[in-house]
Amino acid sequence: QKEVEQNSGPLSVPEGAIASLNCTYSDRGSQSFFWYRQYSGKSPELIMFIYSNGDKEDGRFTAQLNKASQYVSLLIRDSQPSDSATYLCAVRLPGGGNKLTFGTGTQLKVEL
Amino acid sequence: ETGVTQTPRHLVMGMTNKKSLKCEQHLGHNAMYWYKQSAKKPLELMFVYSLEERVENNSVPSRFSPECPNSSHLFLHLHTLQPEDSALYLCASSQDLTQNYGYTFGSGTRLTVV
């Protein structure tokens, strides 16, 4: 079982719609959860992190964490073509250090 | 300059060459990382440094040799690489090994081994 799983997509949504990206993780002791956005040919850029169960909102982005079900999701409201990118889910596993384990990413396409 | 800077942006090398990737961070961070990103695969952690001391070596072949002369600079020395080593190599930094605010990544070096 992969430590962090994401659907590779592509996920296509029309402009203005809500895009929902999901991620599951295997280690129940995982502590912190991150969403990175990566444009083609560019490096990952941190857009949100969440530690506690529930929702965390930042502008058009909402991260949702459910530790009991071991999933974390990212909602993007009012999706724009500029949101088209690959979204990487990352998990900080228990144990020492600040090592992040990444999923393979979900490609999002926002269509006009 | 600000953030995390990586050079070169692109590198093509033969299997018998020796080259080095450079990473410099201007964030005052104490931890630095090397990750490898191959197509269709998740980012793979290679090395972790904290205050210039290597704290993680993730079963990386010896043809990759990291060096961290100070907390702002990180190098990845490459020699006798294989074509399957072609990938995007990403450097990242964080405040230290305890904080939970994620990494700041550099722009990466796109390596092609021919």
Side-chain angles (χ1 to χ4, degrees), chain A residues 1-6 24-27 101-104, chain B residues 40 42:
Chain A
Q1 182 184 9
K2 295 179 183 177
E3 291 178 299
V4 180
E5 292 209 51
Q6 296 180 257
T24 59
Y25 58 95
S26 60
D27 195 320
T101 298
F102 287 80
T104 53
Chain B
K40 307 297 184 185

Side-chain angles (χ1 to χ4, degrees), chain A residues 61-100:
Chain A
F61 299 96
T62 299
Q64 299 175 318
L65 175 61
N66 184 323
K67 289 188 177 181
S69 301
Q70 294 175 240
Y71 82 78
V72 56
S73 61
L74 179 70
L75 302 179
I76 306 175
R77 289 181 299 281
D78 188 25
S79 295
Q80 302 297 310
S82 58
D83 295 325
S84 298
T86 296
Y87 289 81
L88 306 175
C89 172
V91 175
R92 187 185 190 208
L93 299 178
N98 191 25
K99 296 177 288 184
L100 298 187

Side-chain angles (χ1 to χ4, degrees), chain A residues 13-16 19 37-40 42 45 47 60-61 76-87 108-112:
Chain A
V13 300
E15 184 178 7
R37 177 177 61 200
Q38 186 173 25
Y39 292 113
S40 180
K42 303 294 185 182
E45 172 193 12
I47 52 175
R60 295 188 296 114
F61 299 96
I76 306 175
R77 289 181 299 281
D78 188 25
S79 295
Q80 302 297 310
S82 58
D83 295 325
S84 298
T86 296
Y87 289 81
L108 173 66
K109 294 184 176 181
V110 181
E111 299 168 332
L112 295 170

